[in-house]
């Protein structure tokens, strides 16, 4: 019999007990359960402010859990099939960084796809680990980067037998999955740890019809964004560990960068959401998959748009596909994804997750309704009728293979100078340039600036992509390593 009752929510229960005690607070936070900031209380509600509390004996401590947080983490581990789960309140960014820093020390190699989220490359800057990049597959028709092929990972391992770990991005923002089980087995045969950025895969754990989870595949660690598809508050996440990875050591690594003032709003949202998914997740995500499939079918009936799905699976760089992701290719109606994104928001009051050069992504999850999806479909139909134009001159390239010259940490801390974009070709970049979302760098520290990359940046700016990462907020200049 399972010793864990998934109907329990230890942190929620502890907070309710604490509220009933009517304790007089002479601790932080200074708003004193909302009484000291009436405007904030009116905006967020007294229910919220009364549980925005500090760590204390009845409520445990996120940095060193021994009671209710410890129990809640054990319940989460059980629900996700892990040996241990850590509650993370600095976002999945912090979870990804903690994974990398737990297995790689300064100068040690880690094999990873180049289309990782910036958090993974930030971890290299913080730790001094050295990336061995595996270029992801490319879908030329859609202009998107895919997963890593097993053959490419095998070659990287063969050429770098001293690497400590392999990091897999699974699924990608678009829903593309690599052959996670085969990559994990391969890495383990070479005594390498397997880390999975599973930010967009929370729902995989609660459905037999969705792609394999990191824990099922036997991975050692996984970063899971509960707030993305699991229903918890923004910035709350889980870090899962497996295969005897040291809980105590990973906790020490987490505590290097995570706040000592963990928000009980975030912590309790993880506890409540875990319980909801453990009890009702299968029904929830069956419904989510059906809604996404309905929307995909209706969008493809419009013509011009292409809402892609499992028909793209090729057994390698698209080993599987997350059908809950409503990814739509837009170039055939003569509009960049970012242009459709802007039109949906500005003209139709619909906020989708992102638009890039060739695609849009509508994130469908536990809070969506068929009525809202019908509105999205009809708006896309109207956008095509009102704004479609000839697709001549549209840029489709979404991933440009980088020329890596230096390790990210070396480049980031090197002496640098600011140059106008047009004068930077051939120089080594010392900062990031990326479209956000999704936050995958176009350029990362240590990579050579090329004419192709500059063309892409200018095109992305012209089309209205939100470019970030540079010291120059206008992204007209770029930091490059000083020569000589």
């Amino acid at each position: 019999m399972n010793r864990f009752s998934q109907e329990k929510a230890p942190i929620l229960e502890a907070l309710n007990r604490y509220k009933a005690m009517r304790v007089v607070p002479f601790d932080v936070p200074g708003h004193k359960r909302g009484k000291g900031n009436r405007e904030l209380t009116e905006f967020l509600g007294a229910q919220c402010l009364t549980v925005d509390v500090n760590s204390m004996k009845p409520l445990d401590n996120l940095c060193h859990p021994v009671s209710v947080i410890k129990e809640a983490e054990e319940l989460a581990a059980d629900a996700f099939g892990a040996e241990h789960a850590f509650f993370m309140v600095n976002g999945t960014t912090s979870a990804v960084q903690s994974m990398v820093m737990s297995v790689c020390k300064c100068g040690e190699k880690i094999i990873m796809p180049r289309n990782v989220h910036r958090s993974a490359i930030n971890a290299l800057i913080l730790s001094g680990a050295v990336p061995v990049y595996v270029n992801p597959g490319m879908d030329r028709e859609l202009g998107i980067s895919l997963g890593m092929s097993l053959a490419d990972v095998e070659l990287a391992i063969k050429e770098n037998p001293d690497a400590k770990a392999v990091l897999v991005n699974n699924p990608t923002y678009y829903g593309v999955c690599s052959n996670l089980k085969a990559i994990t087995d391969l890495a383990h045969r070479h005594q390498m740890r397997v880390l999975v950025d599973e930010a967009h895969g929370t729902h995989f754990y609660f459905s037999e019809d969705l792609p394999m989870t990191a824990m099922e595949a036997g991975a050692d660690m996984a970063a899971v964004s509960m707030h993305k598809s699991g229903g918890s508050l923004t910035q709350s996440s889980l870090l899962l560990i497996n295969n005897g990875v040291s809980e105590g050591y990973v906790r020490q690594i987490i505590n290097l960068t995570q706040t000592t003032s963990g928000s009980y709003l975030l912590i309790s949202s993880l506890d409540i959401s875990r319980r909801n998914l453990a009890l009702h997740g299968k029904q929830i995500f069956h419904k989510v998959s059906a809604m996404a499939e309905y929307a995909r079918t209706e969008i493809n009936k419009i013509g011009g748009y292409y809402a892609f799905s499992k028909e793209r699976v090729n057994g390698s760089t698209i080993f599987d596909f997350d059908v809950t992701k409503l990814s739509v290719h837009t170039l055939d109606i003569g509009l960049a994804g970012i242009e459709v994104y802007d039109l949906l928001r500005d003209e139709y009051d619909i906020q989708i997750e992102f638009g890039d050069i060739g695609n849009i992504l509508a994130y469908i999850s536990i809070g969506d309704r068929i009525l809202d999806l019908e509105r999205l479909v009809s708006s896309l139909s109207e956008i095509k009728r009102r704004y479609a134009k000839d697709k001549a001159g549209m840029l489709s390239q979404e991933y440009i293979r980088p020329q890596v010259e230096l390790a990210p940490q070396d480049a980031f801390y090197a002496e640098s100078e600011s140059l106008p974009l047009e004068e930077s070709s051939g120089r080594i970049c010392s900062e990031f340039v990326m479209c956000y979302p999704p936050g995958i760098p176009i350029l990362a520290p240590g990579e050579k600036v090329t004419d192709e990359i500059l063309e892409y940046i200018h095109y992305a700016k012209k089309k209205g992509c939100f470019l970030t990462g540079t010291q120059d907020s206008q992204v007209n200049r770029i930091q490059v390593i000083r020569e000589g």
Side-chain angles (χ1 to χ4, degrees), residues 228-229 284 287-288 291-292 324 326 351 362-373 376:
K228 287 190 170 74
S229 60
I284 288 167
K287 181 184 170 191
V288 169
M291 285 194 298
T324 72
L326 186 58
Q351 181 63 57
Y363 215 100
I364 300 176
S365 196
I366 64 181
D368 288 301
R369 305 172 302 166
I370 283 288
L371 192 68
D372 298 324
L373 287 168
L376 172 63

Side-chain angles (χ1 to χ4, degrees), residues 144-326:
I144 64 170
S145 51
L146 306 172
M148 295 188 291
S149 75
L150 183 62
D152 285 346
V153 176
E154 195 162 17
L155 180 62
I157 288 174
K158 187 178 176 184
E159 291 177 350
N160 301 274
D162 54 338
K164 295 295 180 183
V166 177
L167 187 145
V168 188
N169 196 20
N170 201 79
T172 69
Y173 227 136
Y174 300 99
V176 173
C177 296
S178 300
N179 189 346
L180 192 54
K181 181 78 170 73
I183 290 171
T184 299
D185 291 345
L186 173 69
H188 283 166
R189 285 199 299 275
H190 290 83
Q191 288 72 54
M192 296 179 190
R193 291 289 194 185
V194 177
L195 319 177
V196 183
D197 181 347
E198 214 168 18
H200 299 279
T202 306
H203 46 296
F204 290 5
Y205 287 88
F206 303 96
S207 172
E208 277 100 34
D209 302 322
L210 292 172
M212 181 179 282
T213 70
M215 294 297 103
E216 282 177 309
D220 300 288
M221 304 179 81
V224 180
S225 282
M226 275 289 274
H227 69 93
K228 287 190 170 74
S229 60
S232 66
L233 288 178
T234 296
Q235 204 177 307
S236 60
S237 181
L238 295 175
L239 174 56
L240 309 177
I241 60 173
N242 208 357
N243 302 330
V245 170
S246 168
E247 176 192 340
Y249 181 66
V250 173
R251 180 85 65 190
Q252 287 183 329
I253 295 292
I254 290 168
N255 287 340
L256 290 176
T257 55
Q258 181 158 267
T259 177
T260 54
S261 306
S263 165
Y264 276 88
L265 301 176
L266 301 180
I267 297 167
S268 62
S269 83
L270 285 168
D271 194 30
I272 295 164
S273 300
R274 179 273 313 155
R275 178 169 73 175
N276 184 43
L277 294 184
L279 298 179
H280 311 296
K282 286 187 179 175
Q283 305 96 283
I284 288 167
F285 293 116
H286 178 75
K287 181 184 170 191
V288 169
S289 298
M291 285 194 298
E293 193 53 49
Y294 162 78
R296 207 166 5 249
T297 302
E298 293 301 307
I299 290 167
N300 285 333
K301 283 180 188 171
I302 297 169
Y305 296 107
Y306 174 30
F308 48 95
S309 185
K310 285 204 167 197
E311 73 280 355
R312 309 302 293 188
V313 169
N314 59 20
S316 177
T317 50
I318 313 179
F319 185 77
D320 206 346
F321 185 80
D322 174 10
V323 294
T324 72
K325 297 287 190 299
L326 186 58

Side-chain angles (χ1 to χ4, degrees), residues 33-51:
R33 315 304 182 257
K35 292 192 291 293
N37 193 336
R38 292 293 177 196
E39 189 177 7
L40 186 65
T41 305
E42 286 167 16
F43 180 63
L44 293 179
Q47 284 285 92
C48 180
L49 271 290
T50 54
V51 292

